Structures are given as structure tokens and as C-alpha cells.
Amino acid sequence: MSNNRHDEAERYATAARKSMSHVAFEVFKSPSPCLNEDRFDEDFFAQRGSEDVRTFNLEQVLTILTMMDKDILIPIIEGTLPQRVRADLSQAMRNEIKQPDTIPGIYINYIVDKNGRHPTKADILAILDAMQDYINEFDDGVKVFSRVIDFLFKPKDPQGLKYCENPSQKAGAELFIEGMRDRLSSEPNGPLRGGISEVGFSINISSRLANHYKHQSSNKVMTLFDACAMHLFVDRYSIQGYPVVRIVSPHAVDMAECLISRLPSSYVLWGWGFNANQAGASVQGVNSLKILQAAADSKGKNSWATIEAEASTSGITGERAVVEQRIKDSREEMADIIEEHGATLDANLAAQRRYHRQFKRLRQLASDEDDDQE
């Protein structure tokens, strides 16, 4: 039986509709209660959810979540963000994009059409065939189809395969292809539910997203998929990315990337995403001299200390209000249940007392009859 991405997404989305705290606790559940196998990042979160470090990591995750717009978080989980930003979330995303290069953050990429719709099942199957044809030439001396694909985006004359430079990248693409074929076997026709995402960190999100779009220093599985889609369906699909959360501390960067990678299931395993490597392992941007030294460049870069000091606490305030309301509601619900059970217990106790009184009268009556017979 295939692992179902929709069950995993619904688990997180249900938690997010309650509070960010619920999401944090769901994130650290290991193994997942709705999957048959370990996830790509199972060890990472299992280790950080162990008893001796659990509290610290829960606090980190809550800090990250409370920096997010809840209206953006749920579409990230469900994979509906590309369409939602063109509709009811357009203002929320404009607010997020407003100053993209002043604060580092986490972004998410999708491959979608101009309306934000994910590729269809039929199109993906054709793209997978093209991807397989491409990586089949990894060990071949003669490059034919791969040259066609490699010439679609600059630079157009790579030494080897642009999207498959080493065995590790080849293995990542193969894992994605195999997983996606299995995923599609239980999917209906039409746009892929939940889509396919890629998550990353950058201190300059807008320029990083532009690089992904142009296939420069980008994710190899995602860009190979995009190039094959361009070859088969010219300009039907493209990489589209969005900033989703700002990071106010260098100490939270790796956890933030891992968290946002887990929530939308962005790893190649089972064909759920484009990430072929564990998130959080390549966040060298935190060491940028511009941000460490607070160089006042043309883009207004601030230091980590300034970013943290000026960070908004509205998310924390909002989460506290949600939690307090849920505590109040839970207490009222418990009081109603206790009252109902209390009335039942009182009635039961009264019935037992009546029974005992009647039992005592019967015993007395039996004793009197014995005396009369004597």
C-alpha cells in the first residue's frame, strides 16, 4: 500500500486549524501515525524530539511558526499556495514579498502553470519518461536527448549532464521518478493534488527565487523536471516561488528549513517533493559578512541582532490568545461533562441508598418471620 501524502497533509492541516502549538506537537510525532514507512527526515526529527532536547526544539519550532502567517501555512501544507496567492491570499503574499531582501527567510518553489495549477497526471507521466531518458545517458559516451534538454536554459554547453552531474544527483532523480510513478498510481486524472514542492533558505530571497527560475545554482531534480516540461509542453509550466517565513535568528535557520520542508512533504521519497537532500545541511548564508557586520548596503541589509530585536511579536500574541481561548473552551467542555456525569452519579448513589434501605427492611422482615415461627 502506497504512503498517502494527503493523509499526512490533513494531519498537519487539522492541527494548524487549531493552533500553531498543535502543529509543533504533530511535527515531532515519530513515526507518523498515518504512514507505513519512515519519512526522508525521520531521524532528524526523531532525534530532536527525544526527551532531553524536546522542550528546546519545540520552542524553536513554535518560534518559527508564530513568525508565519497562518493563512499561508495551511495552503503550504495542502499544496494550494500557488492558486491561493492569485486569489484570496494575494494581499498576504504581497505583504510577505514587500521587503524580500531585508530579512533572511525560507521560500517554497512549485512547478505550475500560469494560473497556479499543478501539472496534470498525464503531463507528469510524460515528463517522467523524459527525465528517465535523460538520466539514462549519464553513463553513455554519446549524449543525444540530454543535449536537447541541456540547451533549453543557460549555460547551454555543460561539460557533462547539466542536471545530473554525479551519481548522487542521478540517484536523487531516480528516487523521485520511482516514487512519483507510485504516487500517480492512486491519483485521479487532472492537476496533481498537493503538487510538488521544493524548500530552501536564503538571505536574499528574491534573487534566490530568480536563480531557481533560471536554473542557476538550483535544485537538480526540480530543474530537470522543469526542463523536460519545457521540452514537451513549451511554456505550459514554470518554476514559481514564494517567501513563506522570515527568520530572526541564525540559530533557528536549520530548524526552519527542516520544518517547512516537512510540512508540505517536499522530499523526493515517494515522489512527494523535489528535495533530494536533508534540509538544514546547507545554510551557509547565515555566515554572510553583510548580515554579520550589518553592512548598510543598497538593499538595507540588517544584522541578525537588529532583525531579532525588531521582530514582530504579533504571531506570539495571536498564538497566546488562541491557546488561552482553547483552554477556556476545554475547561467549559470538561465542566459540562463533569456536571452531566455528576448528575448521573448522584442519581446512581440515590438509587443505591434506596436499594440498601429496602434490603435492610427485607432482612428485618425475614428476621421477624423467623422469630414468629419459633
Side-chain angles (χ1 to χ4, degrees):
M1 179 180 175
S2 299
N3 291 293
N4 193 318
R5 181 197 179 279
H6 311 297
D7 293 341
E8 183 79 343
E10 183 56 30
R11 181 167 70 89
Y12 292 131
T14 299
R17 294 184 188 102
K18 296 175 182 176
S19 73
M20 296 300 194
S21 302
H22 282 82
V23 178
F25 282 101
E26 287 296 326
V27 163
F28 284 102
K29 284 185 178 178
S30 182
S32 169
C34 57
L35 299 176
N36 305 316
E37 303 169 67
D38 287 348
R39 292 157 289 185
F40 194 96
D41 56 356
E42 202 73 59
D43 287 345
F44 179 91
F45 281 97
Q47 292 170 6
R48 285 154 183 79
S50 59
E51 185 176 354
D52 53 337
V53 295
R54 182 178 177 82
T55 299
F56 171 80
N57 286 301
L58 275 170
E59 289 176 354
Q60 267 207 324
V61 167
L62 272 172
T63 299
I64 297 160
L65 289 171
T66 51
M67 297 298 294
M68 295 189 70
D69 185 329
K70 190 173 182 179
D71 290 335
I72 292 177
L73 174 62
I74 295 177
I76 288 172
I77 295 170
E78 296 176 334
T80 57
L81 187 64
Q83 286 185 281
R84 296 281 300 278
V85 297
R86 290 164 168 79
D88 58 310
L89 291 182
S90 57
Q91 184 58 53
M93 187 52 63
R94 278 198 295 271
N95 293 339
E96 194 64 48
I97 295 173
K98 190 178 297 180
Q99 294 180 321
D101 285 335
T102 58
I103 303 176
I106 305 299
Y107 59 82
I108 187 166
N109 280 311
Y110 301 90
I111 294 181
V112 293
D113 67 14
K114 63 181 180 181
N115 296 312
R117 291 189 297 257
H118 299 297
T120 65
K121 178 178 179 177
D123 286 356
I124 293 174
L125 286 170
I127 292 168
L128 294 179
D129 288 340
M131 292 177 70
Q132 188 64 59
D133 289 342
Y134 180 93
I135 63 176
N136 284 344
E137 296 187 359
F138 177 77
D139 296 316
D140 291 347
V142 179
K143 314 297 183 187
V144 180
F145 180 69
S146 59
R147 298 297 285 175
V148 174
I149 298 299
D150 285 348
F151 269 65
L152 292 172
F153 291 85
K154 296 179 181 179
K156 295 186 176 182
D157 191 20
Q159 295 297 314
L161 297 186
K162 184 196 300 187
Y163 303 108
C164 191
E165 298 175 318
N166 55 57
S168 177
Q169 292 177 0
K170 179 174 181 285
E174 289 173 333
L175 187 60
F176 171 80
I177 293 169
E178 178 185 2
M180 179 56 77
R181 290 192 189 282
D182 185 57
R183 177 182 174 184
L184 291 175
S185 65
S186 58
E187 285 291 318
N189 294 325
L192 180 65
R193 296 179 300 167
I196 320 166
S197 61
E198 185 268 345
V199 172
F201 161 78
S202 179
I203 63 169
N204 297 291
I205 292 183
S206 63
S207 59
R208 186 73 183 109
L209 292 178
N211 286 340
H212 280 302
Y213 178 81
K214 295 182 289 187
H215 293 205
Q216 296 175 2
S217 301
S218 185
N219 176 298
K220 296 296 185 180
V221 178
M222 178 176 68
T223 47
L224 175 57
F225 185 100
D226 187 44
C228 290
M230 177 66 74
H231 171 68
L232 295 169
F233 316 105
V234 179
D235 292 331
R236 181 178 298 180
Y237 303 109
S238 64
I239 297 173
Q240 297 180 30
Y242 312 93
V244 293
V245 61
R246 305 298 169 167
I247 306 303
V248 300
S249 168
H251 305 295
V253 168
D254 61 334
M255 178 58 81
E257 189 177 23
C258 293
L259 171 66
I260 306 304
S261 295
R262 166 162 279 206
L263 292 175
S265 305
S266 71
Y267 292 104
V268 293
L269 186 64
W270 309 321
W272 286 6
F274 290 123
N275 289 15
N277 298 300
Q278 172 64 52
S282 300
V283 290
Q284 296 91 340
V286 299
N287 299 316
S288 167
L289 285 177
K290 286 185 178 181
I291 195 169
L292 290 173
Q293 297 176 343
D297 62 10
S298 59
K299 295 180 180 178
K301 184 66 64 184
N302 291 322
S303 69
W304 281 113
T306 303
I307 292 169
E308 188 167 8
E310 296 179 351
S312 170
T313 59
S314 60
I316 298 173
T317 303
E319 177 69 4
R320 181 181 290 116
V322 169
V323 171
E324 289 176 351
Q325 183 61 47
R326 288 195 64 83
I327 291 173
K328 179 176 180 292
D329 293 342
S330 296
R331 284 175 174 168
E332 291 175 354
E333 183 179 346
M334 289 172 64
D336 291 340
I337 294 172
I338 291 171
E339 183 178 357
E340 179 182 341
H341 282 281
T344 302
L345 289 171
D346 289 343
N348 180 267
L349 180 60
Q352 288 188 48
R353 286 173 175 169
R354 289 194 299 272
Y355 169 80
H356 284 298
R357 286 197 296 270
Q358 182 67 11
F359 181 72
K360 288 173 68 176
R361 285 196 292 269
L362 290 172
R363 285 184 62 184
Q364 184 62 47
L365 180 60
S367 177
D368 292 344
E369 289 179 351
D370 288 342
D371 291 342
D372 291 342
Q373 290 177 0
E374 291 176 359

